[in-house]
Amino acid sequence: MKLLQVVPAIHEYADIAAFAADFRLGRHDLILTNARYGKYLAGLDCPVICREKYGTAEPTDDMVNAILRERDCIHAETGVERIIAIGGGAIMDMAKVLSVAPHGTRDCNELYRNMGSLARVHELIALPTTCGTGSEVTNISVIFRAPLGTKHGLVGDALYPAHAVLIPQLMETLPYHVFACSAIDALIHAVESYLSPLATPMTDVFGEAAMREILTGFAAIAEDPSCRSALNGQFLRAATNAGVAFGNAGCGPVHALSFAIGGKYHVPHGESCYQYFLPVLRYYKVNSEGGGKLTKLEALLCDILHADDGLNALADLLERILPRKPMSAYGATQADVEAFAVSTIGNQQRLLARAYVPVTLDVARAIEQECL
Ligand SMILES: NC(=O)c1ccc[n+]([C@@H]2O[C@H](COP(=O)([O-])OP(=O)(O)OC[C@H]3O[C@@H](n4cnc5c(N)ncnc54)[C@H](O)[C@@H]3O)[C@@H](O)[C@H]2O)c1
Ligand SMILES: [Fe+2]
């Protein structure tokens, strides 16, 4: 039984300059990023692709195809050896596709046909600027694919970044809402992987560390919001720890339920997962015997939050960080309850297989109704 796999080397630097010096960044290193980080990149002799040139919405195959053409032009001029992704999950996921797309690839959809034989074309170095997805340590990229009409994962060991580089300075510009949503996403990665049947004693170490870092950070911010920037390093490490945990043990029903509302009403990933997080945990609590992993989770929450009731204390703290809105606030209607439940059961069995207590159509319907 494999207990844990961590592929990227994980580094931390105070700023981009220290990272650039250590990694000897130069003209064969192609940076994919947002224009907002231009101020940190001044003085570097690297070609840069700003993703805004191709749109700011969540990544699509069209966007990646246009970036592939620009990469090939840069490669023809100077040669590209490494790709440096500086951004949130969206940029890291697009860079992962670039890193396995052979030169001359016109349509990244071709890569999905040969998912079993993807090979690394460029070494990838990932620098997250949000504290959520953990994409810097996972082997999956999620983009919208027009032929399927939905977001879809490209998965393979060639997609692992070679290096994950954590630089707290990069989170200084992160708006509060994106910070809160991405940190809650990381917390859910930690909790769902902890309750997964694929969890091992070693994934638990990373999941527990992530929960402790995120929840103590949230408690401090709830008391004094001005302390957030001092906690950027802690939240970055937490998201990476949670990425290691879920990259091995997987996520579960909270993620499964999130995709229908996320897709239809364009609710950001962390916010759509947050909708279902506490309802799913309460469903587990009412429908499980006690004494198992959920009881361990509750004890851990009581310890971290200095509380007698772990789930209630978690709900209270999250409400102070990001008040949860009903699904109707995003535009969802009564008709969506049935449609979302059917879509979740029909399309998300891979994630539902990791449920702590089985989630049937009736259960999905009841949870959707509760969230409406
Ligand atoms: N590969 C994986 O394992 C994995 C896991 C979960 C989610 N995802 C994907 O990741 C994406 C979500 O990623 P995310 O939550 O990191 O958000 P994101 O990358 O979509 O960024 C959200 C917004 O915040 C902005 N932003 C990011 N960092 C910033 C900073 N430091 N300062 C100011 N603005 C900043 C972005 O420009 C964007 O407008 C989705 O596309 C999702 O499908 C991938
Ligand atoms: Fe997630």
Side-chain angles (χ1 to χ4, degrees), residues 225-236:
S226 71
C227 73
R228 174 159 73 100
S229 71
L231 298 171
N232 283 341
Q234 178 172 326
F235 276 96
L236 267 179

Side-chain angles (χ1 to χ4, degrees), residues 305-327:
L305 298 173
H306 310 295
D308 297 328
D309 181 329
L311 293 190
N312 277 342
L314 173 67
D316 290 347
L317 178 57
L318 292 184
E319 192 62 25
R320 292 172 73 194
I321 292 297
L322 189 68
R324 190 159 68 103
K325 294 187 274 188
M327 278 188 353

Side-chain angles (χ1 to χ4, degrees), residues 24 50 52 87-88 158 161 182 199 205 217 219 222 225-226 249 257 287 289 295 311-312 318 325 349 354 359:
R24 298 174 189 278
C50 284
E52 285 92 337
S182 68
V205 171
S226 71
L257 287 156
N287 292 282
E289 293 269 304
T295 306
L311 293 190
N312 277 342
L318 292 184
K325 294 187 274 188
Q349 284 303 321
R354 304 192 191 123
V359 172

Side-chain angles (χ1 to χ4, degrees), residues 2 30 71 79 103 111 126 198 206 226 242 249 269 276 288 338 357:
K2 189 195 276 185
L30 172 60
R71 177 206 62 179
H103 295 285
L111 299 170
L198 302 180
F206 285 86
S226 71
H269 175 75
Y276 299 100
S288 59
E338 183 66 14
V357 178

